């Protein structure tokens, strides 16, 4: 029986290239889990085990591993940094108790760090901060600490100070013990000595230690009083207060070092043990009913309670489907039968394994607090709850963003289409932000995803992993439609056949809704002109038509429909009649309401060296981009802009050409905005041509 207070379920997350995977490698080496560290740039990192990851030097899917440090068991998930794969970060944070946010010492708080930080805040995950790459040119620990405060609006609690920077970075001053940890140049993490603080840092260390103590004693009134009277708290009391504040998200203990050079990692591991919560110290997961509303019950972390587990990731490998599962309460044994509350079906647990990247260690059972992979589940998907069949409950489900970009693919030969169907089925199960549809008119298979890189990698997996020869179409943008004018109108549906007829009359107003409100329906009918039991049918009729607008057949957004009056017939009126009336009303009124095409606008964040700023801004303007801000950093300028997705295809190639290969950018969906007329005309024409061709 494992003591749950010795567990730490943590994630490592950051922007692309801040060094998450390298940090994970160092942790595994230090804890004795691996004997030789693999480097990301050689394509040999333990947790980057997909071919596509090794080649591109980025993490695509989160990998799970576990290790031990000072008698504590760590379950670690290394998450991707690239914005197209934030879904992986989101679902990993959902099941973790704590995290290590890694920031690049020279890049600082980058756009993806902001998104991940926001996800972590929404999930209520406690974090320690690790400012990495202090050996890099332009690294500045204090600047990054300022950015954490100003850009993320977080409260970093500085726990160590760097000794030297860039090439001269040799170690850190630990403000808790007031000692210096200095590493030699052998590159071995064990080769360090603990010495006195260098003379030029004594004053600075005293100043930061005082800040640290003041922040910590805020958590305990008695200690605060003693401290104000001049009595310094003991190390045990300080650690207790820092732990309390970290778990309450009041502040984030902040460390620094260089993972690549093996400097400073031990202190981060100690911080995970000292300050991040065990599974028993985090807010328990709320249970919900069938509609997704909270019931007031919680899955308390307790091995003796009924089983509650959340499947948070499906991964397909050569041995079959693995279902990554976080067990919140109860126990799970090999051969158990569990209930999937989403499907209502029982599933049998074939095998339970502990994952170390893509290696697996067989287990007989697991219990509350564990993160394991299950083999042999047939119908379980991401976000489903597994529970005790005698004592069912559902855990709060996950919400996934809608894709903004699509491409059409077709296998080059007949035999490929069946293979492609099976492969795509597996990929959709693995990644809920990846969707697939068949265009009924043209028969094409449409892949939808979060960005160009996302789809690029999906196509690569189909070609390489599944051996399917594909033809790939041009990327298509997920446009939407809306209206600009208010229309008051009336519609009557009348049909007289033998026996009873159909009758429904509705008076209604259709008007533009608030931005991002989707579809809103309201009824203001007084008296019984449209009986209350038929209101849902009217709502359903309008909703059913929102999937296809009148301009180019794109889904309709931000429309409010108000039912104001109507008429009914005691015999001939029915729910079906009112639903048909609402559909007819939509077709009649939307063309009068000033239909307008909307396009997805992306939040673009570009990094460029100083001497190319003019070119980059000029190019963004040509792409109809709106420049929001420019920020000079030590190694270049960050430009933030909003730009339409349709203008950003192939941008990475153009940016590299403009900046001699030194520019970087990331983008994520921001909102929908009206399309200029010339673009609208071009899109409508293209849609008509596609329909004519098929």
């Amino acid at each position: 029986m494992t003591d749950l207070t010795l567990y730490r379920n943590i994630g490592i997350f950051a922007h692309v290239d801040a060094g998450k995977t390298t940090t994970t490698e160092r942790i595994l080496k230090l804890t004795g889990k691996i004997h030789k560290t693999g480097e990301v740039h050689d394509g040999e990192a333990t947790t980057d085990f997909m071919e596509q990851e090794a080649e591109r030097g980025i993490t695509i899917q989160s990998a799970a591993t576990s290790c031990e440090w000072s008698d504590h068991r760590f379950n670690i998930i290394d998450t991707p940094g690239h914005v197209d794969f934030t879904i992986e970060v989101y679902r990993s944070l959902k099941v973790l108790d704590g995290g290590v946010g890694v920031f690049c010492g020279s890049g600082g708080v980058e756009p993806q760090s902001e998104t991940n930080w926001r996800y972590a805040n929404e999930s209520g995950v406690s974090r320690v901060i690790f400012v990495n790459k202090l050996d890099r040119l332009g690294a500045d620990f204090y600047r990054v600490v300022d950015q954490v405060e100003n850009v993320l609006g977080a409260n970093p609690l500085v726990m160590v100070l760097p000794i030297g920077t860039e090439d001269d970075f040799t170690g850190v001053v630990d403000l808790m013990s007031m000692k210096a940890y200095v590493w030699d140049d052998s590159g071995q993490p064990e080769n360090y000595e603990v010495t006195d603080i260098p003379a030029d840092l004594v004053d600075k260390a005293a100043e930061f230690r005082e800040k640290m103590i003041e922040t910590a004693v805020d958590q305990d009134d008695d200690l605060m009083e003693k401290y104000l009277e001049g009595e310094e708290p003991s190390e045990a009391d300080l650690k207790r207060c820092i732990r309390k504040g970290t778990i309450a998200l009041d502040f984030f203990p902040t460390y620094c070092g260089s993972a690549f050079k093996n400097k400073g990692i031990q202190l981060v591991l100690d911080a995970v043990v000292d300050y991040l919560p065990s599974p028993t110290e985090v807010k328990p997961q709320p249970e919900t009913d069938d509609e997704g509303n909270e019931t007031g019950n919680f899955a308390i972390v307790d091995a003796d309670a009924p089983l509650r587990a959340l499947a948070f990731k499906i991964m397909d490998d050569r041995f079959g489907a693995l279902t990554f599962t976080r067990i919140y309460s109860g126990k799970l044994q090999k051969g158990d039968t569990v209930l999937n509350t989403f499907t209502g079906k029982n599933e049998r647990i074939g095998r339970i394994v502990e994952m170390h990247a893509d290696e697996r260690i067989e287990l007989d059972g697991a219990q509350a607090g564990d993160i394991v992979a299950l083999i042999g589940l047939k119908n379980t998907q991401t976000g489903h709850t597994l529970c005790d069949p005698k004592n069912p409950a559902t855990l709060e489900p996950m919400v996934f963003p809608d894709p903004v970009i699509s491409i059409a693919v077709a296998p080059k030969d007949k035999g490929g289409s069946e293979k492609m169907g099976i492969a795509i089925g597996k990929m959709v199960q693995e990644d809920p932000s990846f969707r697939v549809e068949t265009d009924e008119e043209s028969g094409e298979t449409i892949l939808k995803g979060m960005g160009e890189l996302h789809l690029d990698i999906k196509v690569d997996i189909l070609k390489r992993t599944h051996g399917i020869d594909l033809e790939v179409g041009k990327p298509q943008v997920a446009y939407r439609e809306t209206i600009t004018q208010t229309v008051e109108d009336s519609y009557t549906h009348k049909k007289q056949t033998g026996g009873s007829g159909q009758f429904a009359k509705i008076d209604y107003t259709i008007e533009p809704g608030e931005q991002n409100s989707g579809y809103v329906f309201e009824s203001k009918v007084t008296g019984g002109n449209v009986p209350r039991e038929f209101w849902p049918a009217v709502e359903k009729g309008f909703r059913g038509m929102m999937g296809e607008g009148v301009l180019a057949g794109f889904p309709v957004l931000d429309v409010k429909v108000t039912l104001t009056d109507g008429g009914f017939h005691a015999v001939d009126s029915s729910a079906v009649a009112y639903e048909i009336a609402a559909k007819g009303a939509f077709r009649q009124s939307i063309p009068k309401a000033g239909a307008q095409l909307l396009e997805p606008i992306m939040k673009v964040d570009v990094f460029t060296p100083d001497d190319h700023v003019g070119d980059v801004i000029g190019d963004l303007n040509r792409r109809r981009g709106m420049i929001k801000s420019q920020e000079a950093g030590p190694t270049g300028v960050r430009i933030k802009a909003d730009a339409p997705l349709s203008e950003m295809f192939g941008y990475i190639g153009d940016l590299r050409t403009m900046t001699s290969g030194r520019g970087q950018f990331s983008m994520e969906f921001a909102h929908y905005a009206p399309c200029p007329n010339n673009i609208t005309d071009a899109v409508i024409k293209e849609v008509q041509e596609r329909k004519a061709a098929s």
Side-chain angles (χ1 to χ4, degrees):
M1 187 74 180
T2 324
D3 178 357
L4 281 177
T5 58
L6 301 178
Y7 268 52
R8 298 287 181 275
N9 290 323
I10 60 167
I12 295 188
F13 55 91
H15 182 83
V16 182
D17 262 0
K20 303 170 290 304
T21 304
T22 308
T23 305
T24 308
E25 283 291 301
R26 298 305 182 260
I27 290 174
L28 295 176
K29 171 81 167 63
L30 269 174
T31 55
K33 187 79 184 194
I34 56 175
H35 301 297
K36 170 186 177 292
T37 47
E39 298 306 348
V40 174
H41 51 259
D42 298 334
E44 288 179 357
T46 311
T47 50
D48 282 356
F49 51 82
M50 285 170 67
E51 278 175 42
Q52 289 81 359
E53 295 178 308
E55 268 173 27
R56 289 174 166 84
I58 61 171
T59 304
I60 292 170
Q61 55 179 21
S62 40
T65 182
S66 49
C67 54
E68 309 250 325
W69 179 257
S70 63
D71 298 335
H72 284 65
R73 177 197 164 92
F74 290 6
N75 287 322
I76 300 177
I77 295 187
D78 172 30
T79 63
H82 199 286
V83 65
D84 286 11
F85 309 105
T86 41
I87 178 92
E88 289 284 343
V89 182
Y90 167 74
R91 59 178 171 189
S92 301
L93 283 168
K94 178 93 179 144
V95 297
L96 294 168
D97 306 325
V100 179
V102 181
F103 297 101
C104 172
S106 64
V109 175
E110 294 166 286
Q112 202 44 48
S113 346
E114 292 178 44
T115 309
N116 292 342
W117 198 262
R118 194 175 68 236
Y119 280 158
N121 284 342
E122 286 168 11
S123 304
V125 173
S126 313
R127 279 145 280 172
V128 298
I129 291 172
F130 177 53
V131 180
N132 189 20
K133 298 196 178 183
L134 283 189
D135 54 320
R136 281 271 290 270
L137 189 68
D140 181 345
F141 174 67
Y142 302 102
R143 192 187 74 247
V144 180
V145 169
D146 282 348
Q147 286 183 335
V148 169
E149 274 184 52
N150 302 325
V151 180
L152 300 179
N155 186 4
L157 179 65
V158 175
M159 303 295 290
V160 302
L161 301 182
I163 302 172
T165 58
E166 298 180 1
D167 285 347
D168 305 328
F169 175 69
T170 55
V172 296
V173 173
D174 176 20
L175 299 178
M176 188 62 83
S177 61
M178 286 305 265
K179 289 285 180 196
Y181 287 68
V182 180
W183 279 263
D184 63 19
D185 285 334
S186 66
Q188 293 303 318
E190 304 76 41
N191 294 353
Y192 67 90
E193 50 179 345
V194 180
T195 63
D196 289 333
I197 298 173
D200 58 337
L201 280 173
V202 169
D203 293 348
K204 199 163 206 175
E207 175 199 333
F208 273 92
R209 179 175 163 86
E210 195 174 315
K211 270 190 205 165
M212 175 190 82
I213 296 175
E214 282 171 8
T215 309
V217 294
D218 243 0
Q219 301 287 327
D220 185 316
D221 293 345
D222 295 346
L223 282 181
M224 171 80 107
E225 264 179 52
K226 287 181 186 162
Y227 178 64
L228 291 174
E229 286 162 12
E231 187 184 322
E232 194 162 283
S234 68
E235 190 170 310
D237 278 339
L238 266 181
K239 283 187 170 174
R240 180 174 53 78
C241 289
I242 294 174
R243 182 181 187 83
K244 184 181 169 196
T246 305
I247 292 174
L249 305 184
D250 291 339
F251 47 73
F252 304 93
T254 300
Y255 292 79
C256 67
S258 161
F260 183 55
K261 297 276 175 69
N262 276 313
K263 295 173 183 174
I265 302 287
Q266 284 94 331
L267 293 149
V268 178
L269 292 179
D270 289 339
V272 169
V273 168
D274 290 340
Y275 309 127
L276 289 183
S278 74
T280 53
E281 292 170 300
V282 289
K283 252 192 355 220
Q285 280 285 321
E287 294 178 3
T288 62
D289 60 17
D290 297 345
E291 302 288 306
N293 303 314
E294 292 189 12
T295 58
N297 295 334
F298 291 89
I300 306 294
V301 179
D302 175 3
D304 299 322
L307 175 70
R308 305 276 182 265
L310 186 71
F312 68 95
K313 176 178 166 62
I314 312 284
M315 200 171 94
D316 205 75
D317 70 2
R318 59 189 190 280
F319 304 112
L322 289 167
T323 307
F324 282 86
T325 307
R326 162 77 196 259
I327 303 172
Y328 285 103
S329 66
K331 292 190 190 70
L332 197 55
Q333 298 293 327
K334 222 160 57 171
D336 278 359
T337 297
V338 295
L339 171 69
N340 176 335
T341 54
F342 185 85
T343 61
K345 293 194 171 82
N346 284 350
E347 294 253 26
R348 190 170 174 281
I349 306 294
R351 287 153 58 210
I352 302 175
V353 293
E354 178 187 298
M355 294 303 291
H356 173 49
D358 60 345
E359 291 169 30
R360 53 195 56 195
I361 298 147
E362 295 275 343
L363 303 174
D364 289 328
Q367 61 164 19
D370 278 332
I371 293 178
V372 291
L374 308 177
I375 301 175
L377 300 184
K378 298 278 187 294
N379 301 310
T380 300
Q381 291 186 7
T382 301
H384 288 184
T385 302
L386 300 173
C387 64
D388 178 351
K390 296 192 199 69
N391 196 326
T394 303
L395 297 169
E396 188 179 44
M398 300 182 181
V399 184
F400 298 114
D402 284 332
V404 290
I405 178 173
S406 63
I407 51 173
V409 295
K412 284 188 180 162
D413 52 47
K414 285 267 188 325
S417 62
E418 192 175 325
K419 252 168 83 177
M420 184 171 87
I422 295 168
I424 284 178
K426 287 179 178 174
M427 287 160 66
V428 169
Q429 275 198 321
E430 287 183 15
D431 180 354
S433 65
F434 174 57
R435 318 260 169 96
V436 178
E437 283 173 15
T438 305
D439 186 323
E440 285 168 13
E441 286 172 356
S442 65
E444 289 177 318
T445 300
I446 311 284
L447 308 185
K448 298 184 166 189
M450 304 308 294
E452 264 186 298
L453 180 68
H454 191 197
L455 291 181
D456 188 25
I457 283 175
K458 296 298 180 202
V459 169
D460 200 42
I461 291 172
L462 282 171
K463 284 181 177 169
R464 233 189 317 184
T465 313
H466 299 286
I468 300 159
D469 213 4
L470 285 179
E471 283 181 5
V472 182
K474 247 181 35 199
Q476 301 292 332
V477 179
Y479 290 101
R480 294 286 183 265
E481 297 183 20
T482 190
I483 54 170
T484 53
Q485 292 155 23
T486 300
V487 173
E488 287 185 25
D489 218 337
S490 173
Y491 189 90
T492 305
H493 169 66
K494 231 192 236 171
K495 195 173 177 194
Q496 200 60 46
T497 48
S500 67
Q502 288 183 355
F503 177 83
K505 175 174 186 289
I506 52 173
D507 298 344
Y508 54 90
T509 305
I510 293 184
E511 60 191 307
E514 298 279 316
Q515 196 177 4
N516 296 331
S517 62
Y519 159 59
V520 178
F521 176 82
E522 189 185 348
S523 174
K524 289 190 173 167
V525 178
T526 48
N529 291 350
V530 178
R532 185 177 286 272
E533 67 263 29
F534 297 137
W535 293 356
V538 178
E539 196 256 359
K540 186 179 164 200
F542 278 112
R543 180 187 296 281
M545 298 298 284
M546 293 290 163
E548 203 170 309
V550 294
L551 283 176
F554 292 108
V556 182
L557 280 187
D558 305 342
V559 169
K560 183 178 181 191
V561 177
T562 308
L563 182 63
T564 49
D565 204 356
F568 92 112
H569 186 281
V571 178
D572 292 351
S573 286
S574 65
V576 172
Y578 278 103
E579 193 178 326
I580 293 170
K583 288 180 172 172
F586 179 92
R587 279 190 289 266
Q588 169 181 293
S589 302
I590 290 285
K592 305 179 194 171
Q596 185 177 51
L597 200 65
L598 298 173
E599 59 183 347
I601 302 293
M602 308 303 278
K603 204 159 81 181
V604 184
D605 207 310
V606 187
F607 171 83
T608 166
D610 292 336
D611 37 354
H612 299 293
V613 175
D615 299 343
V616 171
I617 288 181
D619 180 66
L620 282 169
N621 286 332
R622 268 197 302 283
R623 294 172 188 269
R624 299 192 285 125
M626 291 271 296
I627 309 296
K628 287 291 180 68
S629 69
Q630 277 170 260
E631 216 177 283
T635 54
V637 177
R638 270 180 66 188
I639 300 162
K640 291 191 176 188
D642 283 353
L645 174 62
S646 58
E647 305 285 346
M648 296 302 289
F649 292 139
Y651 180 60
I652 187 67
D654 295 353
L655 178 66
R656 284 187 181 142
T657 310
M658 273 184 294
T659 59
S660 321
R662 290 158 65 205
Q664 286 178 331
F665 90 109
S666 81
M667 64 178 183
E668 62 180 311
F669 173 70
H671 56 264
Y672 276 98
C675 257
N677 291 343
N678 57 334
I679 305 283
T680 301
D681 297 343
V683 171
I684 293 173
K685 189 174 163 202
E686 192 188 330
V687 169
Q688 284 164 348
E689 281 169 4
R690 264 215 313 270
K691 282 186 176 166
S694 62

